[in-house]
Amino acid sequence: WRRTHYSDKVKKELKGEDIILMGWVHEIRDLGGIIFVLLRDRDGIMQITAPSKKISPKLFEDIKKLKKEAVIAVKGIVQESPKAPNGVEIIPEEIKFLNGSKLPLPLDTTGNVHAEIDTRLDSRYLDLRKQNVSAIFKIKSRMFHSIRKFLEEKDYREINTPKLVASATEGGTELFPITYFEKEAFLGQSPQLYKQMMMASGFDKVFEIAPIFRAEEHDTLRHLNEAISIDLETAFTDHEDAMEILEELIQRAIQDVKEHCGDALKTLEVDLKVPEIPFPRVDYDDVVDIVTSKGVLMNYGEDLSRAAEKAMGEVMDGYYFITGWPTAIKPFYVMPGSEDPEKSCAFDLMYKDLEISSGAMRIHNYDLLVQQMKDKGLNPDSFETYLQAFRYGMPPHSGWGVGAERFTMSITGVKNIRETVLFPRDRRRLTP
Ligand code: ATP
Ligand code: AMO
């Protein structure tokens, strides 16, 4: 037997046809003379209607014995039925019992019984059987596809860089140390140094979609210890160019998700709006004023506190950039402004109160880069192989990193970042 359709593809037009569905027993209602089995597969739920008078006694008995979450294959005829959920139902001719399920289930798969996130994550494969959970991953998958499609159109090359690394990139505190034979090594926090070194290779336009590891001690709704970063770097460009390609990518990805994931968005009750570009640019100085005017304490030269992010989220609805960040609070590789070196060429992309991406024009001058490292208390000796790339013809360049899970949060509207990861890694969770 081969599956002929997924449930959502079975429509009135197939009336009278013989089809084969495969999936799980979602629910079963035995009314004596008639049994209704709801078969659930990846894309939907179909009603199998078994009237004792119309089917063989043997088949009727087999159907009677089915239990919740058993795995079955059903061969039957499509019949119009105004009372069935999709306006069609299947009259079974043959059923194959493929596997059973232990009962009771650790987690209800219909979504009718509320479960805490920890219970859900402990039995994630069952949790993912729920349509409103599965929908998030249909959208996330399409989002990656849209991004790859867009970057292919823009002539970018997809690269892979090592995740076993020798040094920090985004400040020394958030590293996972590991043993690498006789040496100490770390899990990569960001492909930052490698994507920059690729600019010295002449590849010009590169991107990478890969895990980043951050030993965040805190347990928040928007931090993970393992996340997927969408990183991009372009030679012969500045931060304005970087913001332009980022806003176009965000717009195109959302448009594409809207076009291809209508059902998933409906399941999540999301009315997805394609944002207009260009996104608003808010200067850091104005951010300080806005936040302060909302009664939240913020001194010039500080990063946005959670309260400051929330204050911004009340004023800004949708995607916007924060530009003109003080050089002092951005990483060493960020280019200081040409007019005022205290203000950098770095930007953050925000969605309401959530940071989605950071990016910048980078320093391409060797001496300036070494100076910035020293100013930030870093030892240039520990960046020797990276620094070498700046001695032999490094072009000006810029780029950014987008947190894939945070972007998924902004599309789906889910409030806990764990909802957007199949098997999340957080402060307390290393299994499953
Ligand atoms: P980036 O790595 O670029 O800074 P990010 O969004 O991960 O991006 P963080 O500095 O890690 O930024 O923190 C983001 C927000 O989380 C900040 O507003 C910060 O105030 C808040 N935050 C940091 N530590 C904690 C904590 N222990 N508890 C709650 N919130 C925190
Ligand atoms: P940054 O440290 O801001 O920048 O990270 C980029 C984006 O990655 C996401 N992100 C996270 N998502 C979930 N959990 C985490 N712990 C986490 N940490 C980061 C956020 C963030 O905006 N090298 C630079 C990028 C660049 O300049 O190209 C960098 O790593 O969405």
Side-chain angles (χ1 to χ4, degrees), residues 170 189-190 192 195 212 214 216 222-225 227 229 231-233 333 355-360 362 399-403 405-406 417:
E170 312 298 319
Q189 275 178 317
S190 142
Q192 184 64 35
K195 63 178 182 171
I212 54 169
R214 299 191 176 197
E216 313 270 2
R222 36 184 217 300
H223 286 94
L224 294 162
N225 294 108
S229 181
D231 271 273
L232 175 140
E233 205 67 24
Y333 51 76
E355 181 197 310
I356 303 286
S357 174
S358 290
R362 326 296 190 181
W400 39 254
V402 170
E405 289 76 17
R406 295 208 183 161
I417 197 163

Side-chain angles (χ1 to χ4, degrees), residues 322-339:
I322 298 179
T323 57
W325 286 85
T327 307
I329 53 169
K330 282 290 173 183
F332 67 85
Y333 51 76
V334 166
M335 181 71 101
S338 51
E339 277 164 33

